Amino acid sequence: SSELTQPPSVSVSPGQTARITCSGDPFPRQFAYWYQQKSGQAPILVMYKGTERPSGIPERFSGSNSGTTVALIIREVQAEDEADYYCQSTDNSGTYVIFGGGTRLTVL
Amino acid sequence: QLQLQESGPGLVKPSETLSLTCTVSGGSISGSSFYWAWIRQPPGKGLEWIGSIYYGGPTYYNPSLKSRLTMSVDTSKNQFSLEVRSVTAADTAVFYCGRFRLGLFPYFDYWGQGILVTVSS
């Protein structure tokens, strides 16, 4: 079965750029979706179709893709961005869901 | 605004069956463009997709859990449900229900707030 690999943690200082990667064989055939989960809360979607932002998500959030690796990029990181971030994709049929292991973003 | 709310017992004994219900409000569970799904998150760990169901009945289960799962839909109550049989302490988790968009761009656009289920005697 397919797996998505994320780094367990990323740390940046306020104002810097954070890059969270996700690697796996669904890419590039399938798109990546990114969720932000703050402590004690349900996840929320912050990026879809790899590079599209839902309404309400700051422009500081963007996505990129290169072969079998996709990335969530957060420019000008703020303290409020501290959270766990999960990538998600599916198998080729679009029905079996795969999550990455999650990356904890720490704002120093 | 669509809302999802999980309900069920917060404590289940080992070897018994965990049963949860998700009530959908603000929209119909019978929409043709969506699956309805369960996701779990053990304490301190990541998200794990459990399975998805379409209102018309097709179900898709995580292969690692498939032998212990049953999902169902009750369109009259706008609810869908999950059963996990023969639970162990490893099944202790926050369980989320969610709406999963079908088609070319499949993702979860709505989530419930989650319910903690502890497996313990």
Side-chain angles (χ1 to χ4, degrees):
Chain A
S1 62
S2 298
E3 292 185 354
L4 299 179
T5 301
Q6 298 181 236
S9 62
V10 168
S11 299
V12 297
S13 298
Q16 292 189 327
T17 297
R19 180 183 175 90
I20 300 172
T21 59
C22 175
S23 299
D25 57 21
F27 312 126
R29 294 186 311 278
Q30 302 295 327
F31 283 110
Y33 303 86
W34 290 92
Y35 302 88
Q36 177 193 68
Q37 186 182 35
K38 296 186 177 180
S39 181
Q41 299 181 18
I44 64 167
L45 184 74
V46 295
M47 197 67 55
Y48 67 102
K49 287 174 58 181
T51 59
E52 303 284 335
R53 276 180 297 105
S55 61
I57 301 302
E59 292 183 9
R60 304 183 289 104
F61 286 74
S62 63
S64 72
N65 54 73
S66 178
T68 58
T69 298
V70 299
L72 177 69
I73 300 162
I74 310 172
R75 295 181 292 104
E76 300 173 358
V77 166
Q78 301 177 4
E80 67 189 38
D81 300 329
E82 188 162 279
D84 294 325
Y85 291 85
Y86 294 90
C87 60
Q88 175 249 307
S89 189
T90 65
D91 69 332
N92 287 338
S93 71
T95 52
Y96 290 85
V97 179
I98 311 161
F99 284 106
T103 299
R104 174 151 296 176
L105 174 64
T106 300
V107 182
L108 300 171
Chain B
Q1 176 80 348
L2 194 78
Q3 292 187 322
L4 292 83
Q5 179 69 58
E6 305 88 351
S7 60
L11 181 64
V12 181
K13 290 183 168 55
S15 79
E16 295 189 344
T17 296
L18 179 162
S19 298
L20 296 174
T21 297
C22 182
T23 301
V24 179
S25 58
S28 173
I29 203 169
S30 302
S32 61
S33 302
F34 310 105
Y35 285 155
W36 303 93
W38 291 96
I39 306 99
R40 71 178 183 178
Q41 185 172 36
K45 296 189 177 180
L47 301 170
E48 179 182 34
W49 172 69
I50 298 172
S52 302
I53 187 166
Y54 188 63
Y55 82 94
T59 55
Y60 303 91
Y61 297 139
N62 186 321
S64 68
L65 299 168
K66 182 176 182 178
S67 64
R68 299 194 292 129
L69 299 179
T70 301
M71 291 179 64
S72 59
V73 170
D74 186 338
T75 55
S76 67
K77 294 182 179 179
N78 228 33
Q79 295 176 334
F80 62 104
S81 300
L82 169 71
E83 287 189 348
V84 184
R85 295 177 292 277
S86 304
V87 297
T88 70
D91 293 306
T92 294
V94 174
F95 286 77
Y96 295 99
C97 59
R99 190 176 80 169
F100 189 66
R101 298 181 66 92
L102 292 175
L104 291 177
F105 316 120
Y107 61 92
F108 295 96
D109 57 356
Y110 288 94
W111 297 68
Q113 65 184 23
I115 182 170
L116 174 62
V117 179
T118 301
V119 178
S120 175
S121 55

